[in-house]
Amino acid sequence: MPLFTAIRRAILTAFRRLIDTPPLWAGFDKRHRSSREAIAALSNIYLSDASPITAKDVLNVFDSKWYEAEYPDVKRARADPLSHYLAHGHRENRDPSRAFGTRWYAAHNQGIAHSEGNGLIHYIARRFREKRPQVALFAYSWTPGKDLDPYIKRIASTIASFGMNVDVYLGSDFAHHDGIKGLRDPADEEHLADWLSHRPYDFAISFNNSLLLPRVVKALRCRIVSVIVDSKGHIFDHLNDDNRATYTLDAIFAPIYRSLEEELRRTYPAKAKNFSFIAAATDVGKRRNARPMKERAAITWIASLVGDDRLDDLLDKNGGSQEWKEALRVCLEQIERRGYLRAEQTTREALDILIAASHWSAEQIEQQLQNIVTNHRRVEIINRLAPLGLRLYGNDRWKKLMPYNAAVVASFHSAKSLASHADLMDIYDNSLISINLPQAQAGTGIQYRVLDVLASRSLLLTKAVAGSDLSYLFGNENPIETFSNLEELVSKCQFYLEHEAERTARIAECNALVSRGYSFEERVSEYLTRSNARAAATCLDQRRSPASPGSIALVSAESICAGRGGRPLETAALPIQPW
């Protein structure tokens, strides 16, 4: 037999034996056969044109061992972990790995929570089957479930609607104390910078200077745009230097308060071009069909009873000291008049007494006293407006006043259900009047809720502030109704509740003010352009007809800084389809 024929026969024989022998993946295929159809069906939802996702793809991000350890009932039932997750686990908000939160992902990506979809399959489809622009969003959360603030969540969903993927990093998870100060570990900056340097982000946006650190700025290939929506005492200060070094970084700072922009330019003249007042955004133009409630509220107010248990403990501990009470009175009067504490001799001596009693910094004392003044004013308003039908949406701290205040009992509604910007707009759209009382430390700035009411079917009544940004944006003769004192607020509420024609006419005028230049789409486009003008020129042109929205994913601090907390969501081996 010729040598060639013998070799050919030997090769064919070996190949047939290989086919007849169960391959290494045979056990895999048998075990996960029940998962194939479910994955294929879900894949078709998110990938109509690209190659379908397979069970092997899912196992690159699904941690079977972790799933069985986290949910022992699955192991006791001898169920295949992946099959269980696809059939039951994701509907029960079980997580497929330490690095992926099923509930969080569904809550922040439209359509998943209220459909037969699956967040993990959606994530794989958007991240590893399609090439999309990437955005790093440095934000914060003060809820146990790490949910984003409704305004930030709306910004994130707008970015995703452009067809971009958004990775969310929470500065509050890295901060050392007070939620916004320092870092838990000085090495966290290096870990985060290293993590970011290996991820090709096209754009970066921060809120309130969250995670705005020197190494982070250098690690990114784009500039960070820091959107500042709060007063100075509520802004992240990871370097513990009152943000002095932060404001010298090569970043763009975009406060929604013009007064802060002016102050930053005076303080850092060499960096003046980095500071730019950019007003907040709202839902404008295409007015939503508001979800009707049982009955429209006469007057609505979304407001928290500010402060925390530390303030309560301090008042309980020192309330019996005459010297302490006198010092408290002096400082509160200063806050009432100016909104903050000045370094006058009398105030300085009183402040020293409060610092000695509390062991807090002067800044912390000022913030807590601002909270006291704010709460006092808010309670006064509730007492006067409750008889007119006030509906107060607030936090649970209001419940502490219920045993002592009937007006709070009558008007309070929990704001826990207001998880999205759309929820807030529904409240305004179902209210005849919505009021706004800015905190003293806000100065001349306007909060984004003011723009929301201006764009809604409710009439805005807001506290008059000399030199307010409302005048700067809309002119001194704008149609916005303001009040100077409590008596005027009550009088105007009574008038507009009794004069419907005048109320609706004024609302139409206010709607016109924000009809252009204030949409989330316009604002996000501006942020992205400031972050990376070259990439924005391409991406924003393509986003006019994106195939589908991108995804929003939370990147945990533990994944970055503590050995990455288990298997990371890495599926680089999957084929990527062009976007």
Side-chain angles (χ1 to χ4, degrees), residues 209-336:
N209 293 350
S210 172
L211 296 175
L212 204 54
L213 294 156
R215 292 185 180 181
V216 169
V217 170
K218 292 180 180 180
L220 294 165
R221 67 180 189 181
C222 57
R223 299 180 83 184
I224 299 177
V225 176
S226 182
V227 183
I228 302 176
V229 298
D230 282 312
S231 55
K232 290 189 296 183
H234 298 80
I235 296 173
F236 282 89
D237 181 19
H238 293 297
L239 298 178
N240 275 322
D241 67 347
D242 293 327
N243 273 309
R244 286 189 293 272
T246 301
Y247 288 125
T248 65
L249 295 174
D250 185 23
I252 299 296
F253 299 89
I256 66 171
Y257 301 148
R258 189 167 57 95
S259 56
L260 180 55
E261 176 210 42
E262 294 172 345
E263 179 183 340
L264 291 173
R265 289 189 171 188
R266 287 194 305 269
T267 308
Y268 307 94
K271 296 287 185 178
K273 67 181 187 308
N274 289 349
F275 308 120
S276 182
F277 163 67
I278 301 177
T282 187
D283 280 316
V284 299
K286 51 179 184 181
R287 292 300 301 134
R288 307 156 316 284
N289 292 320
R291 289 173 285 185
M293 299 182 178
K294 293 182 179 179
E295 58 178 347
R296 294 192 73 182
I299 306 169
T300 288
W301 191 18
I302 298 178
S304 296
L305 190 68
V306 292
D308 52 40
D309 292 339
R310 295 177 304 165
L311 176 60
D312 299 342
D313 294 340
L314 181 65
L315 295 174
D316 288 341
K317 179 181 177 181
N318 298 282
S321 167
Q322 191 60 39
E323 179 187 46
W324 189 86
K325 286 192 293 185
E326 178 60 22
L328 181 63
R329 182 192 65 78
V330 170
C331 291
L332 284 174
E333 287 181 354
Q334 180 74 263
I335 295 291
E336 286 272 11

